[in-house]
């Protein structure tokens, strides 16, 4: 039975997904399968853009037949000759002998290598910026050599502003019904596979990808149709930014990745000690990989993500440990650049691994290899902890820090001056899988009206920050002047890493994006979808498009100054007040005795959730 997706009035996805394949290109483990995308346009002429891997050819031909509905196939545009997209060209020609093959001269040569059918009689050769008009649509062809083979070209439909991007913008992962990137949780569930696909398949060819990105920058693009993974029609700028990082070998995160090779655990222990010391210095999100356990394609991908890399290897056969040697060579072959690297070695009688790793990494452009190399013999000893400390300190010192203050004693910066800003106060909420969390912020602002666009600055130490970075989605509940102090305690004085802030909260509501908003003590909420992130050192500035906004009450907004004047308790007032405080939201019932059937007017919790204020 055919399985297609209608994308526009005249464009169909006719590809297929594969979930049985263990190794893509017989090299890269697939955890979530892979899709082979093919697109069929029903213009005055019919146009097929690439074919599929032979493993899914049965379904593919059913799809093509169904969408053609008896029409003949006029054109096949061949963008890439790798067999995962070209293996079925031979059978396609047998089924549709009338078709014209549109490709470039390099593709023709490769087709002659793979197939023996009469190619030249049905060939229409194209070169850079040649066009093909098929009726309402006109395709312009852009050469993209080495993204990922030398013959690769991409096709731009000037009518619909659709870029058929070949392997570029592709990702591992089968399509599970959802065709578009905005129909899945791409940032949380697909990005790692997209990065692993890019870095391993075309990571070596960053210069060539940059050339393609420069050409694409001159095009107005409404939709990107890659040959693997979801189609992009929203958030294109966000994914382009990822590609710019990867193609220019620019780290995405100021972060440390430790890759270690250990036989009996002594080297692994040293890696753990280093990671703990980095954490004590304040380095967050350290990632560790045992190179004998994790396939190198995953670690290579992580090396493209992080700014600081540590390689720790035992010495084996007078060289690096075999799995470390494989990883190091893989990194060098993929041209990684612009990293800070630290090395540690183990060797019970003749350690050599660090020197060999250094010699390999010296081949990389613009990488700093730290001098603080540590050598251990069999196991780390107390006397060597200072060496590990020095390495951790050197890594920490080389990581970016917030810019120093620019003010001087002559022109002091008084903290209270900032209280005169007319800030509002907000509960910022996020959801990741089944985990909900929220925090208090005062740094939200509307940026533009058309489209509705806002910004929020969020401290990197907040768990909500990390959730938004991973999901790209949040709600902002605008607090009103009736918000009690307890609400600030609940969301602002404890971390979502330690407590579930929503475990006992009743009367909450979810917006259309699935994230909680506060229905009480607020006068409105807005839902945001992140389109851009700016690293501000201690904070990240998220710029987001508004996807929903609702008015909840007519109460005035809580300002920063109102909070300090009227909500935040004065030290003396805390002890003078008599009554009962709601442990959930902070509402205070004034009176000596709390009625047993009392219900909190704010969060609707019963008397059992109140406690007596201290006398
Ligand atoms: Fe998906 Fe380079 O082939």
């Amino acid at each position: 039975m055919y399985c297609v997706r209608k994308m526009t009035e005249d464009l169909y996805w006719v590809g297929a997904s594969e979930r049985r394949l263990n190794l893509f290109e017989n090299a890269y483990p697939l955890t979530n399968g892979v899709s082979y995308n093919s697109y069929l346009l029903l213009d005055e002429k019919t146009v097929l853009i690439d074919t599929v891997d032979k493993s899914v050819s049965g379904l593919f031909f059913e799809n093509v037949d169904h969408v053609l509905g008896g029409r003949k196939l006029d054109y096949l545009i061949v963008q890439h000759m790798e067999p995962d997209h070209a293996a079925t060209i031979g059978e396609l020609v047998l089924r549709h002998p009338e078709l014209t093959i549109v490709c470039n001269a390099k593709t023709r040569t490769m087709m002659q290598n793979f197939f023996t059918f009469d190619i030249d009689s049905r060939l229409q050769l194209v070169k850079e910026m040649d066009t093909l008009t098929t009726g309402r649509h006109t395709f312009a062809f852009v050469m993209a050599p080495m993204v990922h083979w030398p013959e690769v070209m991409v096709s731009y439909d000037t009518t619909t502003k659709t870029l058929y991007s070949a392997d570029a913008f592709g990702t591992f992962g089968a399509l599970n019904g959802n065709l578009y990137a905005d129909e899945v949780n791409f940032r949380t569930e697909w990005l790692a596979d997209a990065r692993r696909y890019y870095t391993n398949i075309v990571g070596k060819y960053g210069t060539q990808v940059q050339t393609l990105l420069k050409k694409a920058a001159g095009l107005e693009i409404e939709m990107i149709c890659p040959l693997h993974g979801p189609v992009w029609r929203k958030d294109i700028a966000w994914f382009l930014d990822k590609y710019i990082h990867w193609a220019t070998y620019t780290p995405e995160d100021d972060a440390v990745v430790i890759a270690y090779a250990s036989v009996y655990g002594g080297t692994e222990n040293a890696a753990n000690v280093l990671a703990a010391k980095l954490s004590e210095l304040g380095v967050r999100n350290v990632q560790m990989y045992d190179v004998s356990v994790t396939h190198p394609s995953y670690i290579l991908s992580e090396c493209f993500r992080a700014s600081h890399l540590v390689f720790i290897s035992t010495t084996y056969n007078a060289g690096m440990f075999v799995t470390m040697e494989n990883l190091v060579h893989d990194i060098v072959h993929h041209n990684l650049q612009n990293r800070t690297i630290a090395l540690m070695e183990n060797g019970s009688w003749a350690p050599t691994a660090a020197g060999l790793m250094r010699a390999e990494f010296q081949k990389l452009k613009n990488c700093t290899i730290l001098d603080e190399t540590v050598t251990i013999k069999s196991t780390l000893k107390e006397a060597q902890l200072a060496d590990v400390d020095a390495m951790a300190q050197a890594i920490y010192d080389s990581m970016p820090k917030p810019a120093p203050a620019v003010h001087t004693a002559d022109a002091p910066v008084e903290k209270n001056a900032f209280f005169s800003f007319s800030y509002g106060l907000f509960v910022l909420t996020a959801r990741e899988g089944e985990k909900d969390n929220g925090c208090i912020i005062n740094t939200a602002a509307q940026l533009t009206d058309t489209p509705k666009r806002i910004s929020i600055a969020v401290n990197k130490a907040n768990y909500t920050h990390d959730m938004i970075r991973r999901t790209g989605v949040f709600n902002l509940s605008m607090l009103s002047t009736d918000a009690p102090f307890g609400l600030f305690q609940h969301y602002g004085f404890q971390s979502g890493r330690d407590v579930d802030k929503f475990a006992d909260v009743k009367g909450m509501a979810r917006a259309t994006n699935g994230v909680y908003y506060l229905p009480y003590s607020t006068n409105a909420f807005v839902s945001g979808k992140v389109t851009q992130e700016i690293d501000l050192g201690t904070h990240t500035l998220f710029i987001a498009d508004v996807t929903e906004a609702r008015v909840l009450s007519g109460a005035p907004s809580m300002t920063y100054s109102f909070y300090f004047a009227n909500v935040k308790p004065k030290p003396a007032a805390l002890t003078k007040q008599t009554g009962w405080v709601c442990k959930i939201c902070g509402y205070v019932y004034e009176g000596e005795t709390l009625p047993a059937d009392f219900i909190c007017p704010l969060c609707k919790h019963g008397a059992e959730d109140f406690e007596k204020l201290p006398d």
Side-chain angles (χ1 to χ4, degrees), residues 209-231:
V209 175
Q210 288 179 56
T211 303
L212 176 61
L213 291 175
K214 281 178 192 147
K215 290 180 183 180
L219 303 173
E220 197 180 334
I221 297 174
E222 296 280 339
M223 187 157 70
I224 296 179
C225 297
L227 289 178
H228 298 288
V231 169

Side-chain angles (χ1 to χ4, degrees), residues 121-167:
S121 70
R122 47 174 61 90
L123 203 60
Q124 181 169 333
L125 284 181
V126 293
K127 51 189 184 314
E128 182 79 6
M129 289 316 284
D130 276 357
T131 57
L132 170 73
T133 299
T134 58
R136 197 172 73 85
H137 297 261
T138 295
F139 291 90
F141 301 104
V142 177
M143 302 303 124
M146 299 318 298
V147 186
H148 139 233
W149 279 13
E151 87 296 357
V152 170
M153 68 179 192
V154 301
S155 312
Y156 178 64
D157 182 338
T158 59
T159 310
T160 58
K161 300 178 174 43
T162 298
L163 179 68
Y164 298 91
S165 60
D167 274 343

Side-chain angles (χ1 to χ4, degrees), residues 1 20 43 334 403 502 520 547 556 568 570 573:
M1 182 63 183
R20 291 186 179 187
D43 203 0
H334 281 81
F502 292 89
Y520 53 81
T547 55
K568 189 177 181 188
K570 309 286 182 289

Side-chain angles (χ1 to χ4, degrees), residues 24-25 80 82 84-85 148-149 167 197 201 228:
F24 184 77
E25 292 187 0
H80 185 17
E82 194 168 6
D84 54 336
H85 311 294
H148 139 233
W149 279 13
D167 274 343
Y197 172 83
I201 306 298
H228 298 288

Side-chain angles (χ1 to χ4, degrees), residues 427-439 463-465 467-468 470-471 473-475 490-491 494-505 508-511 513-518:
V427 173
L428 176 68
T429 43
R431 184 186 194 194
E432 185 175 19
E434 295 307 307
K435 172 76 175 174
D436 289 287
N437 197 35
C439 66
Y463 189 46
T464 313
H465 168 276
M467 291 172 73
I468 294 172
R470 290 190 291 261
T471 63
V473 173
F474 64 84
N475 284 342
H490 183 76
Y491 290 105
Q494 54 186 351
S495 170
R497 291 189 182 85
D498 308 323
V499 297
D500 180 354
K501 296 184 185 180
F502 292 89
D504 295 319
V505 178
M508 295 296 293
R510 292 194 188 276
N513 64 5
V515 180
Y516 276 137
Y517 66 89
L518 259 65

Side-chain angles (χ1 to χ4, degrees), residues 433-456:
E434 295 307 307
K435 172 76 175 174
D436 289 287
N437 197 35
C439 66
I440 301 280
I441 66 166
N442 65 344
T443 45
Q446 182 175 351
L447 300 177
T448 59
D449 191 56
T450 310
K452 295 275 186 294
R453 189 165 285 163
I454 59 174
S455 70
I456 53 171

